[in-house]
Amino acid sequence: MLALFLWWLFRWSLEHGVVPSSMKSEYITPILKKADLDSSNPKSYPPISNVSECLVSKLLERLVSKQLVAYLLKNDLFPDLQSAYRSNHSTKTAVLKVLSDILLALDSSKLALPSLLDMSAAFDSIDHDTLLQKLLTSYGLGENVIAWFAS
């Protein structure tokens, strides 16, 4: 009975391009990122959500994630060197690719200068409207899907 209700709820959400408001609230617990950070600075506390409080929304997110990755793979929309969300790819394969490129450059008597960037907060700075427009125009996602992501 629960599975049937969840199926109906998820289908309704996806068909209407709306995430129910009850799935948008979570119990958030701020936890200090690292012991050496300034405990009086709010940026030192990432928001940690209580999974048990939002289990249904996490199931819906996982369903959408699996569908989106399947769509991107089927339509060959992942960049060739992307490791995330791809089977047989990981941080290890990404590091091996970089190491291989460095060794090939050195073997050819070329200069190799790797640049390392901390991208841990990259998604915090993305303009959502621009991202949604890019998903619509460049990746061919339907307007209902875009509405769901915007919701």
Side-chain angles (χ1 to χ4, degrees), residues 3 9 33 60 66 69-70 81 100 104 108-109 111 119-120 123:
L9 178 64
K33 283 183 190 178
L60 179 57
K66 286 185 178 285
V69 168
L81 297 178
S100 173
L104 286 171
S108 302
S109 299
L111 184 62
M119 303 294 283
S120 59
F123 287 110

Side-chain angles (χ1 to χ4, degrees), residues 57-83:
S57 64
K58 295 294 180 192
L59 288 172
L60 179 57
E61 285 177 19
R62 176 152 304 184
L63 171 69
V64 170
S65 174
K66 286 185 178 285
Q67 288 181 348
L68 179 61
V69 168
Y71 170 82
L72 295 173
L73 286 170
K74 178 183 174 191
N75 293 286
D76 199 28
L77 294 171
F78 274 127
D80 291 337
L81 297 178
Q82 178 168 334
S83 292

Side-chain angles (χ1 to χ4, degrees), residues 69 73 78 80 82-90 93:
V69 168
L73 286 170
F78 274 127
D80 291 337
Q82 178 168 334
S83 292
Y85 310 108
R86 298 177 78 180
S87 60
N88 303 317
H89 291 77
S90 66
T93 58

Side-chain angles (χ1 to χ4, degrees), residues 30-51:
I31 297 177
L32 191 62
K33 283 183 190 178
K34 298 176 186 172
D36 61 337
L37 291 176
D38 179 11
S39 61
S40 64
N41 184 350
K43 291 185 177 186
S44 299
Y45 296 87
I48 306 296
S49 63
N50 185 339
V51 175

Side-chain angles (χ1 to χ4, degrees), residues 1-148:
M1 200 61 149
L2 178 61
L4 183 61
F5 170 75
L6 291 176
W7 173 82
W8 178 87
L9 178 64
F10 293 172
R11 184 174 171 188
W12 180 90
S13 174
L14 296 171
E15 285 178 356
H16 290 85
V18 175
V19 178
S21 58
S22 62
M23 293 181 156
K24 295 180 187 178
S25 60
E26 303 176 6
Y27 178 71
I28 304 292
T29 305
I31 297 177
L32 191 62
K33 283 183 190 178
K34 298 176 186 172
D36 61 337
L37 291 176
D38 179 11
S39 61
S40 64
N41 184 350
K43 291 185 177 186
S44 299
Y45 296 87
I48 306 296
S49 63
N50 185 339
V51 175
S52 64
E53 297 287 328
C54 55
L55 181 61
V56 174
S57 64
K58 295 294 180 192
L59 288 172
L60 179 57
E61 285 177 19
R62 176 152 304 184
L63 171 69
V64 170
S65 174
K66 286 185 178 285
Q67 288 181 348
L68 179 61
V69 168
Y71 170 82
L72 295 173
L73 286 170
K74 178 183 174 191
N75 293 286
D76 199 28
L77 294 171
F78 274 127
D80 291 337
L81 297 178
Q82 178 168 334
S83 292
Y85 310 108
R86 298 177 78 180
S87 60
N88 303 317
H89 291 77
S90 66
T91 53
K92 290 178 185 177
T93 58
V95 168
L96 286 173
K97 169 67 173 136
V98 171
L99 180 60
S100 173
D101 289 349
I102 291 171
L103 292 174
L104 286 171
L106 294 174
D107 284 346
S108 302
S109 299
K110 294 180 182 173
L111 184 62
L113 294 171
S115 296
L116 305 175
L117 302 172
D118 179 6
M119 303 294 283
S120 59
F123 287 110
D124 296 342
S125 61
I126 292 176
D127 179 72
H128 292 169
D129 291 333
T130 302
L131 175 62
L132 293 172
Q133 189 62 34
K134 178 91 171 169
L135 290 171
L136 180 66
T137 57
S138 298
Y139 290 88
L141 297 183
E143 291 193 21
N144 227 22
V145 176
I146 300 301
W148 188 90

